[in-house]
């Protein structure tokens, strides 16, 4: 067959192939293009046939072949580009994200009100130079009672219903146990804050067998009850709000002398009397006092040189007052509907 005829034939079959493959994938079109224009493709085969063309015809036939090659090449390239664009468009459509669709928000937790109060207390007292010390929850009878001037058979032991593990070991009933551990190991000046869990066999709407306390202890030369009162005034305003005042009422703890019960003026009614303060205008928030000489002595601190004050408060009680929670159990149940309300 004449080479010109072959050229025509290839041209036709390329056109035919292209028009029948309109919906083909870019990859298939690339393969097809190779069949015509690749190293061993049909056009390369024809090129080899140039040897047999008469010399005077070579320039024209050569031009025909070159024209054919570039014409087919362009057509294939255009088809491939077109197919690629279509494929990309399809992919975009499939992968499209509807940014107007409402998102699925993962459930996140909230900081527990106990932790909120604890952190706030630590930050208030850290601002006054207190350091945090955490004692063990399982204590010796000595640290929880005896060293706190509450020897065996002391009637004050009945103030706290204790969980004993053995005769000598117990679940601490008060973070005051930590006072002794600190004073045994550190000489004045001492200024520590001791948060932690405590345990008492007690269970009702305002008591739980496990609850949390925050203990404070200051020992130095010349510490007086006025220092305690001044510091409590700062604490009360920071925790319960501006204008809240404190008052001290005489009380009894074996390890403090004198001992006081600390009230804050009712932040709900401003002191006029309401349901929260049971009409008294005052709310009891913590126990405190001047560290008993016997306790200092027992820790090797000379009570004629040094004096100190201590205070202890229930964190749950502060949280209940601050956030208006009327049942302590809410703080232990972990009900998400309750906890959610503390999200900021
Ligand atoms: N530990 C006492 C209690 O749990 C509170 C307290 C602490 C009192 C420090 C005085 C000084 O009741």
């Amino acid at each position: 067959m004449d080479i010109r005829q072959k050229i025509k034939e290839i041209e036709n079959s390329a056109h035919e192939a292209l028009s029948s493959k309109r919906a083909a994938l870019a990859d298939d079109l690339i393969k097809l293009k190779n069949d015509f224009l690749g190293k061993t493709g049909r056009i390369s085969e024809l090129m080899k046939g140039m040897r047999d063309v008469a010399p005077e015809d070579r320039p024209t036939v050569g031009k025909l072949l070159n024209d054919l090659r570039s014409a087919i090449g362009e057509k294939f390239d255009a088809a491939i580009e077109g197919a690629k664009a279509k494929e990309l468009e399809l992919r975009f459509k499939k992968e499209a994200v509807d940014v107007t669709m409402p998102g699925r928000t993962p459930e996140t937790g909230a900081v527990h009100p106990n932790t909120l109060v604890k952190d706030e207390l630590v930050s208030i007292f850290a601002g006054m130079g207190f350091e945090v010390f955490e004692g063990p929850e399982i204590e010796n009878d000595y640290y929880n009672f005896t060293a706190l001037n509450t020897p065996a058979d002391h009637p004050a032991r009945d103030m706290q219903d204790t969980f004993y593990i053995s005769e000598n070991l117990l679940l601490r009933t008060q973070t005051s146990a930590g006072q002794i551990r600190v004073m045994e190991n550190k000489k004045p000046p001492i200024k520590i804050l001791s948060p932690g869990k405590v345990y008492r066999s007690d269970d009702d709407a305002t008591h739980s067998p496990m609850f949390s306390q925050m203990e404070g202890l200051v020992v130095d030369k010349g510490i007086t009850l006025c220092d305690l009162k001044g510091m409590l005034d700062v604490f009360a305003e920071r925790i319960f709000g501006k204008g809240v005042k404190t008052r001290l009422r005489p009380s009894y703890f074996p390890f403090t002398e004198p001992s006081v019960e600390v009230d804050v003026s009712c932040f709900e009614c401003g002191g006029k009397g309401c349901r929260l303060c049971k009409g008294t205008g005052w709310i009891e928030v913590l126990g405190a006092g001047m560290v008993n000489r016997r306790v200092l002595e027992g820790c090797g601190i000379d009570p004629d040189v040094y004096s100190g004050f201590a205070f202890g408060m229930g964190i749950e009680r502060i949280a209940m007052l601050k956030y208006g929670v009327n049942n302590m159990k809410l703080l232990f149940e972990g009900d998400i509907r309750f906890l959610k309300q503390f999200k900021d």
Side-chain angles (χ1 to χ4, degrees), residues 164-204:
Y164 281 90
I165 293 169
S166 68
E167 207 177 321
N168 212 8
L169 280 182
L170 48 82
L171 296 180
R172 70 174 172 199
T173 59
Q174 48 190 354
T175 42
S176 303
Q179 285 186 34
I180 308 300
R181 291 187 176 272
V182 169
M183 287 190 282
E184 272 183 357
N185 288 306
K186 193 170 155 32
K187 293 305 144 208
I190 291 169
K191 221 172 174 185
I192 59 112
L193 199 61
S194 190
K197 295 190 181 87
V198 297
Y199 303 82
R200 290 180 201 179
S201 179
D202 229 345
D203 201 7
D204 60 37

Side-chain angles (χ1 to χ4, degrees), residues 83 95 122 158 172 175 181 190 194 209 236 245 259 265 284 293 302 306-307 326 335 341:
E95 291 176 2
V122 168
D158 293 342
R172 70 174 172 199
T175 42
R181 291 187 176 272
I190 291 169
S194 190
K245 294 179 179 42
S259 299
S265 58
E284 185 189 318
R293 292 176 61 89
D302 185 349
Y306 295 103
S307 57
N326 57 14
D335 188 324
Q341 299 174 46

Side-chain angles (χ1 to χ4, degrees), residues 138-150:
I138 295 176
E139 261 301 5
N140 291 324
D141 182 279
Y142 177 78
Y143 288 106
N144 195 80
F145 288 126
T146 309
L148 286 163
N149 194 32
T150 323

